[in-house]
């Protein structure tokens, strides 16, 4: 069993839909949680970065962390075709050489 | 200006050859990383260097040898390439510290024939 589990999709939604992307993890030592977006043939780019449990909002994106359930989510409101990409969750422990552990990524397609 | 740049973008070579991938960052970061992304998009760390010192060395065959001539550069040399080495290799950089995000390059696509 991987330390971080993520539904690979693909997930296809109509433009304007609310998208929910999720990851579960098994290592309770994870303290920092990130969401990266990766377009085809590009490197991952950081979207959201959270430390504590709760919600963090940035424009159309909301990151949610529930440490008690070992569950994190990324919500995308008013989804656009430009949001079509693979979304990777990542997490790390305090210290540990800044090592990121990634989920397998969810492929999202937003259709017109 | 490209923040983290890798060369080459594509590398096609025969099994058994030796090849190198170069990475440079102009963000002033002190830590650099190599990741491998397989065909299923799973991204896994291989190495990290902080100020030219090896910090993370995951379970990677010793055919892979990273080298950091200075804190802005981290190269990856691979000996005796095997079919299973086909993947996309990403370089990343960050500053030291628990809440410092990592910035990625656009990857080097390695194909072994």
């Amino acid at each position: 069993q991987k330390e971080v589990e993520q539904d690979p999709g693909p997930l296809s939604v109509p433009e304007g839909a609310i998208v929910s992307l999720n990851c579960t993890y098994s290592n309770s030592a994870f303290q920092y949680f990130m969401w990266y977006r990766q377009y085809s043939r590009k490197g991952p780019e950081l979207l959201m970065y959270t430390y504590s449990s709760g919600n963090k909002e940035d424009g159309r994106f909301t990151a949610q962390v529930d440490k008690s359930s070992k569950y994190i989510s990324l919500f995308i409101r008013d989804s656009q075709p430009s949001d079509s990409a693979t979304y990777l969750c990542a997490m790390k422990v305090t210290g540990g050489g800044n090592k990121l552990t990634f989920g397998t990524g969810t492929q999202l397609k937003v259709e017109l | 200006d490209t923040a983290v740049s890798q060369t080459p973008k594509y590398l096609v070579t025969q099994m058994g050859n030796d090849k190198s991938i170069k990475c440079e960052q102009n963000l002033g970061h002190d830590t650099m990383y190599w990741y491998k992304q397989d065909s299923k998009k799973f991204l896994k760390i291989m190495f990290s260097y902080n100020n030219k010192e090896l910090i993370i060395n995951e379970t990677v065959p010793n055919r892979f040898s990273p080298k950091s001539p200075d804190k802005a550069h981290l190269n990856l040399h691979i000996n005796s390439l095997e079919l299973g080495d086909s993947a996309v290799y990403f370089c990343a950089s960050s500053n030291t510290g628990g809440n410092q995000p990592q910035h990625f390059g656009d990857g080097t696509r390695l194909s072994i024939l």
Side-chain angles (χ1 to χ4, degrees):
Chain A
Q1 185 186 0
K2 287 188 163 61
E3 277 189 290
V4 180
E5 298 281 355
Q6 186 176 3
D7 187 338
L11 180 61
S12 184
V13 301
E15 184 179 9
I18 296 174
V19 176
S20 171
L21 304 166
N22 312 296
C23 287
T24 57
Y25 61 95
S26 56
N27 186 352
S28 57
F30 286 136
Q31 295 292 324
Y32 299 90
F33 305 91
M34 286 137 275
W35 285 95
Y36 281 83
R37 177 175 63 196
Q38 186 177 19
Y39 290 116
S40 181
R41 299 198 171 275
K42 291 290 187 181
E45 58 175 318
L46 184 66
L47 274 179
M48 300 288 281
Y49 195 131
T50 55
Y51 171 66
S52 57
S53 284
N55 292 353
K56 182 177 179 180
E57 192 172 316
D58 184 0
R60 296 185 295 111
F61 299 90
T62 300
Q64 195 173 75
V65 175
D66 182 347
K67 286 186 181 178
S68 61
S69 301
K70 298 192 184 70
Y71 187 89
I72 69 170
S73 299
L74 177 71
F75 298 96
I76 308 173
R77 288 184 300 281
D78 187 24
S79 55
Q80 304 293 310
S82 59
D83 295 328
S84 299
T86 296
Y87 290 80
L88 300 153
C89 64
M91 37 200 88
K92 60 181 177 178
V93 301
T94 302
N98 211 20
K99 171 187 168 182
L100 289 182
T101 300
F102 280 87
T104 48
T106 299
Q107 188 180 345
L108 171 67
K109 185 171 183 182
V110 180
E111 306 202 70
L112 289 167
Chain B
D1 281 346
T2 303
V4 181
S5 59
Q6 298 178 227
T7 53
K9 291 190 188 307
Y10 299 93
L11 188 51
V12 181
T13 189
Q14 302 273 3
M15 208 164 49
N17 284 351
D18 303 338
K19 290 292 178 185
S20 291
I21 307 171
K22 295 187 175 183
C23 179
E24 175 182 4
Q25 55 93 5
N26 62 5
L27 296 167
H29 291 158
D30 57 11
T31 305
M32 296 184 72
Y33 313 81
W34 278 111
Y35 287 85
K36 179 180 180 181
Q37 189 172 47
D38 63 23
S39 57
K40 295 182 180 176
K41 294 275 192 177
F42 182 56
L43 197 58
K44 191 173 183 344
I45 192 165
M46 301 171 70
F47 303 102
S48 82
Y49 270 75
N50 177 266
N51 279 319
K52 304 193 295 177
E53 181 185 348
L54 183 64
I55 302 297
I56 294 173
N57 184 351
E58 290 292 287
T59 312
V60 177
N62 58 15
R63 298 182 294 105
F64 291 78
S65 51
K67 281 190 173 51
S68 181
D70 56 60
K71 70 176 187 177
H73 295 84
L74 180 62
N75 304 323
L76 183 65
H77 187 76
I78 317 170
N79 288 326
S80 304
L81 280 157
E82 300 177 357
L83 289 175
D85 298 333
S86 294
V88 184
Y89 292 85
F90 286 98
C91 178
S93 71
S94 75
N95 278 324
T96 308
N99 63 346
Q100 299 300 317
Q102 294 180 25
H103 298 262
F104 285 78
D106 281 339
T108 295
R109 282 149 188 82
L110 174 63
S111 297
I112 310 302
L113 303 177

